[in-house]
Amino acid sequence: MRLTALALTLAIAWTAAADDATPAPRAQKGADADPKEAPKLRLPGEAGVSRLIPDVPFTDLAGKAGKLSDFKQSKLLVVAFTNTTCPLCKKYTPVLQRLEKEFAPKGVSFLFVNPTKGDKPDATTFAGRYAHDTDGTLTAALGATSTTEVVVLDAARTVRYRGAVSDQYGLGYALDAPRASYLATALSDLLADKRPVVQATTAPGCELAPDRAKAPAVALTYHARVERIVQANCAECHRKGGVGPFALDTYDAVVANKGMIRKVVDKGTMPPWFAAPPKKGEHSPFANDRTLTEGDKRDLLAWLAGDLKKGDPADAPLPRADESGWGLGKPDAVFQLPKPVAIKAEGTMPYQVVSVPTEFDEDKWVQAVEVQPGAREVVHHVLVFALPKGQRIGGEAQGFFAAYVPGSTALVYPEGYAKKLPKGANLVFQLHYTPNGTATTDRTRIGLVFANTAPRYEVRVTGIANPAFTIPAGADNHRVNASIPYVPFDAHVLALFPHAHLRGKAARYELRAGGKTTTLLDVPHYDFNWQLQYRFAEPVPVPKGSVLTYTAWYDNSDKNPANPDATKPVRWGPQTADEMHLGYVEFVVAPGAPAGGLLGLRPGAAADFKFPKDGITIPDQFKERFKRFDTNDDGKLDEKEFNALPEAVKAVVIGYVQRTAP
């Protein structure tokens, strides 16, 4: 059963000093190192996704000279590196042959590149053109690092995907069938005008030496370089109808705002990303890290400070797909608020709650979900809950089905991952509006894409919350803790969503497992204006019995320019002038795992519990929410009322009483 508000609002874990962060154990070099290697996700920017590839010449095995621009009439070009000696190339040869046959009728061309100088390739292996890159020109221009890597280019020679064909074969292992078909999925997404779910991976194979040839330089002009940087990193928000204050979709717009762009890029406040940077020499663990690469940042600032050359229009990237449509592609189902919500011009508005029936007669597995506000300029955030008929929202900490926050986009899960939408459920929208001086209306909607089959992993969301805090007036670094003291089953964490309001200063998630504490996410400078998710490139294992802790710091002093009133103490509340301590956790479990969230008790806690003879007093701030459980309306839970609680709620009440007992 779902965790209700009681289960989560009573999850007030013990406050304790955080242990020193200990890095996760690493494999040792040598005999103890694991020889197996599967594809791993890479940050798109680091992999060169969105960059222009120079129009380098080549000669194919048939003796025909050509350039990459020969394929400009194709919708997409797959440049597949291969040879006849690498064992993994041999295994992937029939896979590439099938993909070539499947996608050629859809407008996809294939160019096969053999980067091994002493190899003897066969021109009849594939239907597409085959080049033997003996001098390394193509390899250098495309930045290939292994013999199994594939690079997908669009008609403007912009990299749209780089990485492995699939995860079926890797170093030291082979599967009967792939779990993730990276190349096929990327091609399907791109042909549907969608950004691929996975844009870059490593490609285990025979490593290529990087020094055989030097990659041709790309001109530092707007069309060849800067337009792609802006398109990949800024246009998601800075476009017509976006949450950015101005569009950056033309040369003139970028030049007109060059001063502000230089300031925010130089300071690192744009693109918005607030996780602490990785240690020197390490990579970010987050697949959606928005940080500009050093190369992109250097080139953008140099162009802004220079002569602002426009360059050759022929070097321009393709226009972005219409962002007013769906980022997840065509939804299988769309649900919209039944009538417009009136947004007043001034002041504040209480949360609006609107229920929309789905009326499906069977459970649905949702692989992609997107919430689209009708009036983005006044919609601060939206949470959508999938609830059985008659059930009300338990509270923010309950865990959500879908969400919209500033900076969010469509959420599309990889193959084998999906959220469950129970049959007959209502989609309950909780909407937070912020009037901006002009009265308007809103009809927010949600789009869903269903998985074709039941997933290998079910995606769930739960919250770690402490709603019983008080931030003293004037406190500039007040710490609030909450924990899941005992994770009741093995799980893997996909993403983390810290949430606070105007006094939020910093946040941290920690995992204690096997006697060691690891920092999963450190946000040293929290910004209420950007409610970001932090999505791991590799799901983080959370063993049964682990402790997950969420800590946040708050600045309620006059040093905080966003603070509405530094002279008053602050407590939990829904409005922006109130505060919240709430750390969402998105995780996956295998089908058949117990229902509900990650919240659990220590072993033996229920058996040791003795119901207090005077009952359990309900804290004042929760009495309204507990009315349905407090049947005699005396402000307490007696033993009969306690025994009638849902089991998940009862377990948390036990933990609460045991932790707060004198």
Side-chain angles (χ1 to χ4, degrees), residues 304-604:
L304 290 169
D307 53 12
L308 304 174
K309 285 184 179 178
K310 196 170 186 178
D312 187 349
D315 290 336
L318 299 180
R320 288 175 62 93
D322 181 11
E323 291 287 353
S324 64
W326 294 97
L328 47 63
K330 183 180 179 181
D332 294 321
V334 177
F335 299 93
Q336 189 171 30
L337 303 186
K339 59 181 181 180
V341 177
I343 316 301
K344 61 183 183 179
E346 300 178 85
T348 61
M349 290 182 61
Y351 282 21
Q352 304 294 302
V353 178
V354 182
S355 182
V356 181
T358 62
E359 299 181 348
F360 292 120
D361 57 6
E362 62 180 0
D363 294 342
K364 292 287 190 179
W365 289 105
V366 177
Q367 189 174 5
V369 59
E370 181 177 357
V371 178
Q372 282 195 349
R376 291 177 186 266
E377 65 276 12
V378 294
V379 177
H380 181 264
H381 75 264
V382 180
L383 294 180
V384 182
F385 304 86
L387 304 178
K389 289 182 178 179
Q391 182 175 323
R392 295 181 299 172
I393 297 174
E396 293 82 0
Q398 174 179 323
F400 53 81
F401 177 75
Y404 167 82
V405 293
S408 72
T409 57
L411 183 54
V412 184
Y413 292 107
E415 295 175 64
Y417 292 77
K419 284 186 173 180
K420 187 176 182 179
L421 177 63
K423 65 178 181 180
N426 289 328
L427 291 174
V428 182
F429 290 71
Q430 183 195 74
L431 305 110
H432 183 191
Y433 294 108
T434 53
N436 66 351
T438 302
T440 187
T441 60
D442 170 68
R443 286 191 71 190
T444 290
R445 60 181 182 168
I446 184 172
L448 308 176
V449 173
F450 301 127
N452 294 324
T453 59
R456 296 194 312 274
Y457 299 104
E458 180 184 348
V459 181
R460 302 178 187 172
V461 178
T462 195
I464 308 175
N466 181 349
F469 63 84
T470 298
I471 306 172
D476 64 356
N477 197 42
H478 186 74
R479 174 177 172 168
V480 180
N481 253 29
S483 294
I484 295 174
Y486 183 84
V487 175
F489 44 73
D490 292 334
H492 282 76
V493 172
L494 292 183
L496 302 170
F497 307 73
H499 177 70
H501 291 177
L502 296 173
R503 297 166 181 85
K505 181 178 181 181
R508 182 181 297 154
Y509 289 81
E510 292 171 305
L511 169 67
R512 185 166 184 81
K516 294 183 178 180
T517 299
T518 303
T519 298
L520 300 181
L521 170 65
D522 187 19
V523 179
H525 301 290
Y526 177 83
D527 188 339
F528 171 70
N529 297 298
W530 295 98
Q531 306 287 323
L532 300 184
Q533 59 169 290
Y534 299 85
R535 186 161 297 280
F536 290 103
E538 298 294 330
V540 177
V542 178
K544 179 180 179 180
S546 301
V547 181
L548 273 171
T549 300
Y550 175 67
T551 306
W553 289 262
Y554 300 86
D555 185 353
N556 192 27
S557 73
D558 55 9
K559 301 173 188 175
N560 177 2
N563 192 355
D565 189 346
T567 66
K568 295 181 180 178
V570 184
R571 297 177 180 85
W572 179 286
Q575 291 300 324
T576 305
D578 302 318
E579 199 45 81
M580 285 187 180
H581 176 270
L582 180 54
Y584 287 116
V585 180
E586 183 183 77
F587 63 101
V588 293
V589 295
L598 293 175
L599 204 58
L601 292 175
R602 293 177 176 278

Side-chain angles (χ1 to χ4, degrees), residues 175-231:
L175 302 175
D176 186 54
R179 292 167 298 195
S181 301
Y182 298 116
L183 176 58
T185 301
L187 292 175
S188 297
D189 286 344
L190 291 167
L191 289 171
D193 289 328
K194 296 190 296 184
R195 182 179 296 187
V197 179
V198 175
Q199 298 181 72
T201 75
T202 59
C206 298
E207 191 168 336
L208 298 175
D211 55 354
R212 290 178 55 209
K214 188 175 181 180
V218 172
L220 185 55
T221 64
Y222 174 74
H223 286 309
R225 187 80 175 95
V226 172
E227 188 173 6
R228 284 175 171 81
I229 296 173
V230 172
Q231 194 179 81

